[in-house]
C-alpha cells in the first residue's frame, strides 16, 4: 500500500515540478502582493506564476481572496505592496484598458443594443482595424464559440449559455495576452454549465490562450484546469495539476476543500489495512502520538461483519456508484463503490473499515486541525 510522502519527498517532488516549469515562459507574476480593504487584509503577500498557454484556476471558499487576485490583475484594484507583472512588464500601476487583458464576467455584461456581431466587433473598432479584417475575425470567433449564424441576433434573443459564448468571443476578439474568467458559469444550469466548460477548455487549448479562471466549484476546477491554486485566507495552500491536488493534497485544508474525505485517527505505528477503532471523539481529539489519515471514498472499504465497530448510517444510489456513510467512534466515514456491488450495506449494518490504496494525506494529530 502506498503511504503518504514525507516532507522531504514532498520537497523533492515540488522541486522537480519547479524544474520542469523553469523552461516555460511566465505570462503572469504576482510577487509579494498585499491588499487590504479598510482594516481587513485580503492578501497578506501573494506569490503566483502563470505560464504562457496554461489555464490556472483559483479555487477557494468565499472571502479567500481569489476574486481580489483577479481584479488586481485586471486593473480594477491596485495592490498596497508588491508587484503584478504581465509578460515581464510591471502593470500594477497601469489603467485597466492598457493591460492587454480580456475579461469574462458571471453576468455576461453584453451591450443590449448591439447584435451578437456588434458585441464581438466592439473591441475591434476601438483597435481601428479595417472592416474586412474585423468581419473575418468576427466570423472566425462566432464559429469557434458555437455561434455560427447568430451574428444578427440580440442578447435578449439568446439563452444564458449563448450569451456567455458571446461574452467569450468578444473578449477573445482583441487577442489579449491573458483572459480572466470570473465565475463565468455560475449563473447557468448544470447541463449547460458542464457543456460550456468543456467548450471553453477546448477553445483555450486550440488557441493556446493564457487564462486565469476563478470558481468556488471543485468539479469545475478539476475538469477545466492545467493547474489549480487552492486558496485560503489570502494564501495559496497548494498549486498543482488537478489530479495531484485531489490525490495528494498538500495540507488538511486542501484535503477537506477539494472532494470528499474521511479523517481517521490511527496509531503512529499503523501501516495500512484494517483501521483500528479510535474510541469516541473525532480526529481533533486523537490521542497524543497518533496520526490522522485523510482517505478518499474510493480508497476506503467497508466490510459487512456483525462484529464490526463501524455502523452504516446512510446509503445513496448515484447511478454508476453507491455512496455509503458510516460512523466509527463518532467519526464520519465516506466510502464509494460501484453500483450493484454494495451488497447488504443498508443503514444499521455493522462493518469493518479498511483503507486500501493511496492515503491522500497523513499528518500528526496535532497538525490536523478541525474538520470543515
Amino acid at each position: 500500500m502506498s503511504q503518504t510522502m514525507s516532507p522531504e519527498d514532498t520537497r523533492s517532488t515540488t522541486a522537480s515540478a519547479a524544474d520542469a516549469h523553469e523552461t516555460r515562459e511566465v505570462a503572469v507574476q504576482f510577487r509579494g502582493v498585499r491588499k487590504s480593504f479598510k482594516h481587513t487584509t485580503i492578501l497578506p503577500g501573494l506569490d503566483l506564476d502563470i505560464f504562457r498557454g496554461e489555464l490556472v484556476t483559483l479555487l477557494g471558499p468565499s472571502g479567500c481572496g481569489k476574486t481580489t487576485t483577479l481584479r488586481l490583475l485586471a486593473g480594477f484594484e491596485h495592490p498596497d505592496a508588491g508587484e503584478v507583472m504581465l509578460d515581464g512588464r510591471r502593470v500594477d500601476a497601469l489603467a485597466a484598458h492598457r493591460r492587454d487583458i480580456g475579461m469574462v464576467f458571471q453576468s455576461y455584461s453584453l451591450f443590449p443594443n448591439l447584435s451578437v456581431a456588434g458585441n464581438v466587433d466592439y473591441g475591434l473598432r476601438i483597435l481601428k482595424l479595417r472592416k474586412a479584417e474585423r468581419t473575418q475575425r468576427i466570423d472566425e470567433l462566432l464559429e469557434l464559440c458555437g455561434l455560427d449564424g447568430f451574428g444578427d441576433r440580440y442578447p435578449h434573443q439568446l439563452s444564458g449559455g449563448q450569451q456567455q459564448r458571446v461574452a467569450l468571443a468578444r473578449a477573445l476578439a482583441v487577442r489579449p495576452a491573458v483572459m480572466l474568467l470570473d465565475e463565468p458559469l455560475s449563473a447557468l444550469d448544470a447541463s449547460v454549465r458542464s457543456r460550456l466548460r468543456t467548450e471553453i477548455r477546448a477553445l483555450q487549448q486550440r488557441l493556446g490562450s493564457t487564462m486565469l479562471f476563478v470558481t468556488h466549484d471543485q468539479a469545475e476546477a478539476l475538469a477545466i484546469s492545467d493547474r489549480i491554486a487552492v486558496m485560503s485566507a489570502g494564501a495559496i495552500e497548494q498549486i498543482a495539476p488537478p489530479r495531484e491536488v485531489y490525490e495528494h493534497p498538500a495540507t488538511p485544508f486542501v484535503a477537506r476543500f477539494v472532494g470528499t474525505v474521511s479523517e481517521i485517527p490511527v496509531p503512529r505505528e499503523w501501516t495500512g489495512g484494517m483501521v483500528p477503532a479510535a474510541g469516541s471523539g473525532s480526529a481533533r481529539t486523537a490521542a497524543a502520538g497518533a496520526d490522522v489519515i485523510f482517505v478518499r471514498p474510493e480508497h476506503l472499504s467497508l466490510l459487512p461483519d456483525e462484529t464490526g465497530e463501524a455502523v452504516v448510517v446512510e446509503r445513496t444510489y448515484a447511478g454508476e456508484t453507491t455512496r455509503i456513510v458510516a460512523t466509527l467512534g463518532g467519526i464520519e466515514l465516506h466510502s464509494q463503490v460501484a453500483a450493484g456491488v454494495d451488497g447488504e450495506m443498508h443503514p444499521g449494518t455493522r462493518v469493518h473499515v479498511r483503507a486500501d490504496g493511496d492515503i491522500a494525506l497523513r499528518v500528526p494529530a496535532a497538525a490536523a486541525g478541525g474538520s470543515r
Side-chain angles (χ1 to χ4, degrees), residues 76-93:
F76 302 147
E77 303 288 350
H78 297 280
D80 302 326
E83 298 179 346
V84 179
M85 304 187 73
L86 179 61
D87 290 333
R89 178 174 63 115
R90 188 168 177 177
V91 297
D92 43 86

Side-chain angles (χ1 to χ4, degrees), residues 126-202:
I126 294 175
L127 292 178
K128 298 181 179 180
L129 298 183
R130 290 178 300 138
K131 184 175 180 179
E133 185 176 353
R134 297 197 330 257
T135 299
Q136 180 181 355
R137 197 176 296 186
I138 291 167
D139 291 343
E140 289 174 350
L141 283 165
L142 293 185
E143 183 179 356
L144 276 172
C145 295
L147 293 165
D148 199 17
F150 284 77
D152 293 332
R153 298 194 189 183
Y154 285 80
H156 71 273
Q157 298 174 308
L158 305 177
S159 68
Q162 290 167 340
Q163 290 185 60
Q164 197 58 287
R165 288 184 180 91
V166 177
L168 184 63
R170 183 180 63 184
L172 287 168
V174 297
R175 297 177 178 170
V178 178
M179 281 280 291
L180 308 181
L181 299 96
D182 188 10
E183 305 258 13
L185 309 179
S186 59
L188 305 174
D189 65 52
S191 61
V192 175
R193 185 171 184 157
S194 177
R195 185 168 65 251
L196 190 52
R197 78 185 180 203
T198 300
E199 292 174 8
I200 289 173
R201 177 57 165 162

Side-chain angles (χ1 to χ4, degrees), residues 203-225:
L203 185 61
Q204 181 266 335
Q205 291 180 313
R206 179 173 176 178
L207 297 176
S209 303
T210 304
M211 290 189 178
L212 181 61
F213 194 99
V214 168
T215 185
H216 63 274
D217 186 302
Q218 305 163 31
E220 198 163 271
L222 291 169
I224 205 171
S225 311

